[in-house]
Amino acid sequence: MSVQNSKAAASVRKGSIVPKVPGVKPTKAAYKKKDEEERVDKGVGWDETHGKGLIKPADQLELTEAELKEEITRILTANNPHAPQNIVRYSFKERSYKQVVVDQMAVHFVLEGSLVHQDSDEARRLRARGGLPGGPEVVTVETGAEPDEDETETPATPVEDGGEVEEVGEEDRPDSVASKTDKKQPKLTNQINFSERGTQTLNNPLRERSTQTEPPPRRNFSATANQWEIYDTHMEELQKQEKNKEKQKATLPKTDSDRSKKRLMLMETQSDDFTKVGKASKIFERMIHQNTFDDIAQDFKYFEDASDEFRDQEGTLLPLWKFQYDKAKTLSVTALCWNNNIQDLFAVGMGSYNFSKQGCGMVVFYSLKNSSFPEYIYPTKSGVLCLDIHQQHSNLVAVGFYDGCVAVYDLKSEGLEPVHKSTAKTGKHTDAVWQVRWQNDDMDNNHNFYSVSSDGRVVSWTLVKNELIYTDIIRLSLNGAVSEGPEDAQLPIFTCGTAFDFHKQIDSLFLVGTEGGKIHKCSKTYSSQFLETYDAHSMAVDAVRWNHFHPKVFISCSSDWTVKIWDHTINTPMFTFDLNAAVGDVSWSPYSSTVFAAVTTDGKVHVFDLSINKYEAICRQSVVAKKTKLTHLEFNPVYPIITVGDDRGYVTSFKLSPNLRMKPKAKKGQELPKGPEVEVAKMEKLLSLLREQEESPV
């Protein structure tokens, strides 16, 4: 080796410079040798400068030997943290939801290649068929990554022999262009469209069978439902029915008249679409009403006035629903009656107390579930003055009219006409009927009710099949009850009956109030005379009612501003209350023998409890606007509410506060009697105190 070459070699080792030989690229080994020399040089320099010791950072945590020797186990799993764990699928076989196992493998890169490994069976088969040239020079490996530059390019390796670098000629390489031109290239088979002989069987063609049915007819309809549109649609339906009837009469012979009637009935029932959706629409309307007035329903069910605890035994009335029918705005509420079987349903009689402006009337049924519209509506030709619902058969309603007729309506029957109605031939009254009351069935189990009128007659009406048979019970006169006498006897002067009520326990005993202010105690068995006559009021008696619990006590009210409580064995009243206005109606409460309420024409409701205060009302509240007169009042038989009617056709319901429906408390060591005996004892105690006060000297 010459001196120049040795110097060059030294310079190469010292500076790690790879000599560049013209025409020859440096090999991979040369680059690797260069990196090792650089690494050694750097290590030597570092040792000389810093020494072999380790330099610790200033903020490094110092650990003890035990902490250094402690083994901390970390488990590495192949689960994908982003894979969902709560996916379920419904299994129709097991009829339940099953959790789905999610694949945890995450694929980042996939490349499908067509290279075949030279040592694989497929490569040997291809060589045997002549598809690939043999020899170790052709190496094809299927990989997923791109080949490196060093593998794609085959650089020439330098050979050191006497300082001369030799190159390998292109003629000696088997893959050179010259060698390829000399050798005949074999024809490559198509590797994609390849199939073995064993799999070349005839596959049956797929067959599909499908049927198509006619889809059901669909129609989109949208419109605003107004009253006139509903009326027009209803009239069109009626015209279609009439045309169908005419066609049936014209086509069918007379012999088939019975069959034609049946077919017409079927057509009418099929075409009447309103009746099919009537029940569903009523339920839907009640749901909407309950959602709209949910606050009132909550007050009716749960609200209790807590301020009663701080009042001195006084109470209040909480307004609830207000009932109104637009077509009855010009009419007054002339009668109220609750249904005993359906506690949320009550009947309202609509008429007029202005006798110079009499017209048509109406019987309306309201429900607490829907105050926006009545459940039943029965228009009448004459004004309604009174009504009563049967205790057992709540579908029967007896009604008295201003023209003297009485009628019975059946809620189960179709149509707006009554099932029974009195006429001049069947003994109707000659003047207005002021009160009707159902009584127990007679010996033949026929329904019967009683009525009192301004013509002075108290009449019993019996429902026998399709007839309404009447019987005069008593005739009211100033001289007493009318009885048969000589022809030359003086004609009696009849008085007008305005109210009456039957005893709760004695079926034959009843009271009759007159226009002159007197109250007569009568009996069904003694029609010739009165049992007793009470000089009750100075004006007409508007209402008279027996107590629900005590058999001796009844109450009366009049337009002379007074309410009086009586013991029917005594001619003088036990209590007299002046309300400073004409009293329209009075009613006992169904839960206490000492509680009653009255309404006056100045728009106030007065509630009394004799066991708390014998002189003044414990509640006096205005419930309507000024210049509005209250006409009638009625207690609900179950719920603690009352309904009040006025002269403008409105009916308002109120809830009684706790002080207005207090129950007696037992003293220490005493037991209260159960049931109605409690109320009887309360009233009896009150009567005994009054008798002692009357007997004691002043």
Side-chain angles (χ1 to χ4, degrees), residues 515-543:
E515 192 176 14
K518 294 184 179 181
I519 298 176
H520 303 292
K521 183 171 67 173
C522 309
S523 176
K524 297 178 185 179
T525 56
Y526 298 99
S527 60
S528 60
Q529 59 183 359
F530 302 135
L531 299 181
E532 191 71 46
T533 299
Y534 308 93
D535 292 328
H537 300 276
S538 59
M539 296 182 68
V541 178
D542 292 330

Side-chain angles (χ1 to χ4, degrees), residues 647-693:
D647 61 347
R648 297 188 180 182
Y650 290 91
V651 178
T652 311
S653 58
F654 298 91
K655 184 175 182 179
L656 303 172
S657 64
N659 281 355
L660 301 181
R661 43 192 169 92
M662 292 178 61
K663 295 183 179 180
K665 297 180 180 179
K667 297 181 181 180
K668 293 183 179 180
Q670 293 182 356
E671 291 185 0
L672 287 175
K674 298 180 181 180
E677 298 175 358
V678 181
E679 305 302 330
V680 175
K682 285 169 57 179
M683 182 60 74
E684 193 65 37
K685 182 178 180 181
L686 190 64
L687 294 177
S688 62
L689 290 174
L690 288 174
R691 294 190 189 99
E692 291 177 0
Q693 292 178 2

Side-chain angles (χ1 to χ4, degrees), residues 597-668:
V599 292
T600 54
T601 56
D602 58 352
K604 292 183 180 180
V605 177
H606 305 261
V607 182
F608 292 82
D609 190 349
L610 301 178
S611 63
I612 296 175
N613 193 333
K614 297 188 290 294
Y615 306 104
E616 293 181 355
I618 60 175
C619 176
R620 185 181 292 107
Q621 184 172 331
S622 297
V623 296
V624 292
K626 293 182 178 179
K627 297 183 180 180
T628 302
K629 299 178 181 179
L630 297 180
T631 56
H632 284 277
L633 167 140
E634 196 73 23
F635 280 87
N636 186 281
V638 177
Y639 304 117
I641 62 174
I642 60 173
T643 51
V644 177
D646 56 32
D647 61 347
R648 297 188 180 182
Y650 290 91
V651 178
T652 311
S653 58
F654 298 91
K655 184 175 182 179
L656 303 172
S657 64
N659 281 355
L660 301 181
R661 43 192 169 92
M662 292 178 61
K663 295 183 179 180
K665 297 180 180 179
K667 297 181 181 180
K668 293 183 179 180

Side-chain angles (χ1 to χ4, degrees), residues 436-486:
V436 290
R437 281 284 184 269
W438 285 101
Q439 283 297 99
N440 297 328
D441 296 347
D442 58 7
M443 300 297 292
D444 297 330
N445 293 327
N446 294 322
H447 304 312
N448 64 346
F449 65 95
Y450 287 73
S451 64
V452 63
S453 172
S454 297
D455 60 0
R457 296 166 58 203
V458 177
V459 183
S460 171
W461 304 89
T462 306
L463 281 65
V464 180
K465 295 183 179 180
N466 296 328
E467 297 180 3
L468 194 61
I469 300 175
Y470 77 99
T471 304
D472 287 341
I473 300 299
I474 199 170
R475 300 202 56 157
L476 307 175
S477 65
L478 295 177
N479 300 328
V482 177
S483 59
E484 295 181 358

